[in-house]
Amino acid sequence: MKNYKITVSYDGTRYKGWQVLKSTDATIQGKLQMVLSALAGHPVEVIGSGRTDAGVHAEGNVAVFDCDTTIPSDKIKYALNNLLPEDIVVVESIAAEDNFHPRHCDCRKTYQYRILNTALPDPNRRRNTYFYRGRLDIDSMRRAAEYIVGTHDFVCFMASGSQVKDTVRTVYSLELERKDDIITMTIQGNGFLYNMVRIIAGTLLMVGRGQMRPEEVEKIIDKRDRKGAGPTAPAKGLTLKVIEYE
């Protein structure tokens, strides 16, 4: 069998995240495994790089699988997309090195969190933005973001339930941009803890609302106390944009 790498885009609204559960239809991984197994005629396990949570979207999640097929690697995406639901699309399929593992190779991950900041909600953007009608001070949010960039112990931005022992991560960049009524937070790092990006978004929202001073973010990181950080922002505003392997 050969090793294949795929890049997957999906609307996570109706799924319970990436990782397979008892009901395979309820997850992205489960749906991919079901379709690949039917296509190959044997059980196929799909291993993903980003285990996105329920309701989180992706444009460039990466996964690998071993498969025995005569379909050319660059054509596998077409065969899969003919069988997948319309809210999951394989945008690239290539042959991979036998030792390539999407979670064990050095990479940079980029996420975006999008906030619809206007007076009224927009039904056409309800699936991939978080609606907030109040005033947000984006300059204060940008100043707070500066304290997050760098290598830190980010346990204060990790939700309970994670079994990870090493909570040190590197955030290469964290930028906020406003275009019309959308505020986009773009964060890139070498990896993220459980709910880390959504908690950072929730913390910056508190700063934007004036409920927290920008410099308090540095103290929250130093104290390593989850209770000091903001709430976990809703999943629907988050998208895994791209994973770049070194």
Side-chain angles (χ1 to χ4, degrees):
M1 289 196 290
K2 294 182 179 180
N3 194 30
Y4 296 94
K5 171 187 169 186
I6 55 174
T7 303
V8 191
S9 175
Y10 49 86
D11 176 349
T13 303
R14 69 186 186 101
Y15 295 96
K16 296 180 179 178
W18 169 272
Q19 194 166 0
V20 69
L21 302 169
K22 292 181 180 179
S23 173
T24 55
D25 269 355
T27 67
I28 307 298
Q29 180 189 25
K31 182 64 76 172
L32 286 167
Q33 289 182 168
M34 184 187 305
V35 170
L36 273 166
S37 298
L39 193 66
H42 63 80
V44 176
E45 180 185 10
V46 177
I47 301 173
S49 174
R51 295 179 178 178
T52 51
D53 297 327
V56 175
H57 317 293
E59 292 181 10
N61 203 349
V62 173
V64 297
F65 58 90
D66 290 328
C67 183
D68 185 11
T69 179
T70 59
I71 302 174
S73 59
D74 61 335
K75 304 298 183 185
I76 288 177
K77 61 179 179 287
Y78 299 111
L80 289 175
N81 290 333
N82 284 334
L83 300 173
L84 287 166
E86 62 182 1
D87 51 6
I88 303 175
V89 175
V90 177
V91 296
E92 183 183 54
S93 58
I94 61 173
E97 297 292 334
D98 291 339
N99 61 351
F100 175 75
H101 192 292
R103 291 202 298 271
H104 297 162
C105 296
D106 292 338
C107 68
R108 291 182 177 224
K109 295 183 179 180
T110 302
Y111 282 89
Q112 281 189 344
Y113 195 89
R114 300 172 75 244
I115 304 161
L116 176 62
N117 186 212
T118 186
L120 295 172
D122 184 343
N124 293 309
R125 292 185 283 187
R126 73 189 188 282
R127 297 167 75 96
N128 64 352
T129 60
Y130 165 57
F131 167 66
Y132 180 76
R133 66 162 51 89
R135 179 183 177 274
L136 290 172
D137 184 344
I138 192 169
D139 290 331
S140 293
M141 295 168 74
R142 285 172 176 150
R143 290 198 300 273
E146 293 176 3
Y147 296 106
I148 297 171
V149 175
T151 301
H152 307 286
D153 185 339
F154 284 110
V155 69
C156 62
F157 295 135
M158 182 178 73
S160 61
S162 174
Q163 303 300 315
V164 174
K165 294 181 181 180
D166 181 9
T167 53
V168 175
R169 298 290 187 273
T170 299
V171 172
Y172 300 115
S173 62
L174 176 51
E175 300 175 352
L176 289 110
E177 178 186 21
R178 178 161 198 136
K179 186 174 182 181
D180 298 326
D181 52 11
I182 295 287
I183 294 175
T184 302
M185 180 190 86
T186 304
I187 185 168
Q188 184 185 81
N190 65 350
F192 296 93
L193 303 170
Y194 180 42
N195 281 172
M196 178 174 162
V197 179
R198 291 166 58 193
I199 296 171
I200 288 174
T203 303
L204 294 183
L205 278 164
M206 286 188 67
V207 173
R209 291 194 292 261
Q211 298 172 316
M212 182 186 296
R213 297 189 307 276
E215 56 269 22
E216 288 183 63
V217 172
E218 184 179 28
K219 297 177 181 178
I220 291 169
I221 295 172
D222 290 341
K223 289 182 179 179
R224 300 188 297 173
D225 183 8
R226 170 67 186 94
K227 294 179 181 178
T232 305
K236 63 182 181 179
L238 184 61
T239 299
L240 172 56
K241 294 291 289 184
V242 64
I243 301 175
E244 300 166 282
Y245 287 92
E246 297 181 4

